[in-house]
Amino acid sequence: MRDHGGDLDRAMALYGAGDWLDLSTGINARPYPLPDLPARAWTALPTRAEVARLEQAARTAYGAGEGVACVALAGAQAAIQLVPRLASAGAARVVGPTYNEHAGALAAQGWEVGQVPDIAALRGAALGVVVNPNNPDGRLWTPEALIALARDVGLLVVDESFADPVPEYSLVRYLDRLPDGVNILVLRSFGKFYGLAGLRLGFALGAPGLIDLMRALAGPWAVGGPAVVAGGAALTDRAWQEATTAQLARDAVRLDALATAAGWSFVGGTVLFRTYEVGDAEAVQARLARANIWVRRFPYAAGWLRLGLPGREPDWQRLEAVMAP
């Protein structure tokens, strides 16, 4: 199985049960307050009109123009699983290191997948994938650079799962201005920024023909009633979005200060996660785990640790006590 954050089963198998603070993901620990969910959200299948309203809320929140289509799916992961079926298997390239499900899903469907260090190396690929901002190093590419690249890629998939706090880097608002926009597919995660990963909600945006194909592949009722109701409320709550973005920025500065005091150096990240060079990542992860704090390390970088941001003040104090030199 491919390694991931959020693997508390592994943490407990190694270190025992307890009051775990899971900082191994990039999920916002200050979640959107769930609205009251009507009984129908649980007892009935969502109607096409209800799903259409949710998709319109996403289009508006992400700045999509009139010519951009959107499909709601069971998380960005569901979209990643569908991408390999959008074209005949061929040569795919993924800018990495990055979220490993992109390469895994493509390889499972017969694609020949290569990892490349930067977007310039995607040119000539039948399918190219870039995560923007990138996970785990936070690298960013401008919309202008990605638009120029798209002319030389069969299908360019841009995973914007962590883009909510940096909308100026999103390609969505440019898609309907591009004559060749049909070959760009943008993926968005709902659960990370809104802190409601359990709802399993995400979106794919692009040209209508491409999105129609994704909708057909996903099948009916790709999202459930609770996700339709809660997602629609959150996506239209501009005040919460702005306040949360500002709070996350303050929290990121706070975590960087703790890391600096601990002797760690900043590698990169977003306001939803921070990646540091810590020396011996395995030893530091184990030290934190013995205090029931779980963080993410990576098989390809022996010194890197990635931490999500705590939400509650007691959790910040727990982390600070363990990180203190």
Side-chain angles (χ1 to χ4, degrees):
M1 292 183 64
R2 295 180 282 275
D3 64 296
H4 293 287
D7 54 342
L8 273 182
D9 289 336
R10 178 171 177 269
M12 290 186 285
L14 291 171
Y15 299 97
D19 180 19
W20 281 94
L21 172 59
D22 186 8
L23 301 180
S24 68
T25 75
I27 298 167
N28 184 5
R30 300 176 183 270
Y32 185 78
L34 279 172
D36 291 334
L37 297 176
R40 188 183 183 285
W42 299 101
T43 61
L45 294 168
T47 66
R48 291 182 181 178
E50 289 168 337
V51 173
R53 285 194 293 271
L54 170 66
E55 291 169 348
Q56 180 57 46
R59 291 179 68 259
T60 300
Y62 301 144
E66 288 301 318
V68 180
C70 174
V71 59
L73 299 161
Q77 182 62 48
I80 292 169
Q81 297 300 127
L82 295 178
V83 164
R85 301 170 63 189
L86 295 175
S88 298
R93 298 174 196 159
V94 180
V95 178
T98 194
Y99 182 56
N100 58 30
E101 284 296 327
H102 286 286
L106 287 161
Q109 293 293 324
W111 287 79
E112 180 183 343
V113 186
Q115 179 175 295
V116 296
D118 197 40
I119 62 170
L122 295 178
R123 297 185 188 279
L127 189 150
V129 179
V130 57
V131 179
N132 193 42
N134 191 46
N135 171 19
D137 59 19
R139 283 184 293 170
L140 282 161
W141 291 271
T142 65
E144 292 78 11
L146 294 172
I147 290 167
L149 168 71
R151 301 185 183 96
D152 299 316
V153 178
L155 174 63
L156 178 62
V157 178
V158 183
D159 182 344
E160 295 184 352
S161 288
F162 292 99
D164 293 77
V166 285
E168 65 272 22
Y169 282 90
S170 175
L171 267 182
V172 173
R173 67 191 63 204
Y174 296 89
L175 291 179
D176 68 339
R177 309 178 198 173
L178 305 176
D180 54 355
V182 68
N183 74 323
I184 298 177
L185 179 69
V186 177
L187 312 183
R188 298 293 297 237
S189 168
F190 172 85
K192 293 179 177 64
F193 177 69
Y194 292 96
L196 297 173
L199 282 179
R200 307 311 304 138
L201 179 61
F203 302 91
L205 300 100
L210 192 58
I211 298 305
D212 286 347
L213 178 55
M214 290 201 78
R215 192 184 303 278
L217 291 171
W221 308 297
V223 294
V228 170
V229 175
L235 287 163
T236 55
D237 193 338
R238 184 62 59 86
W240 184 91
Q241 295 160 13
E242 293 175 353
T244 297
T245 298
Q247 181 64 59
L248 288 169
R250 292 191 293 269
D251 288 347
V253 171
R254 182 177 181 179
L255 186 55
D256 287 347
L258 294 181
T260 298
W264 302 355
S265 58
F266 182 62
V267 172
T270 72
V271 296
L272 287 164
F273 64 84
R274 315 298 277 175
T275 300
Y276 304 102
E277 171 61 53
V278 303
D280 186 342
E282 183 175 9
V284 177
Q285 183 193 49
R287 176 165 62 85
L288 294 173
R290 287 191 289 272
N292 287 141
I293 298 174
W294 191 235
V295 298
R296 176 79 191 280
R297 64 184 179 91
F298 301 92
Y300 50 79
W304 287 11
L305 280 185
R306 190 192 69 192
L307 281 73
L309 280 61
R312 303 181 308 136
E313 185 59 30
D315 294 336
W316 277 102
Q317 293 172 5
R318 281 180 64 184
L319 180 62
E320 183 173 4
V322 179
M323 287 180 61

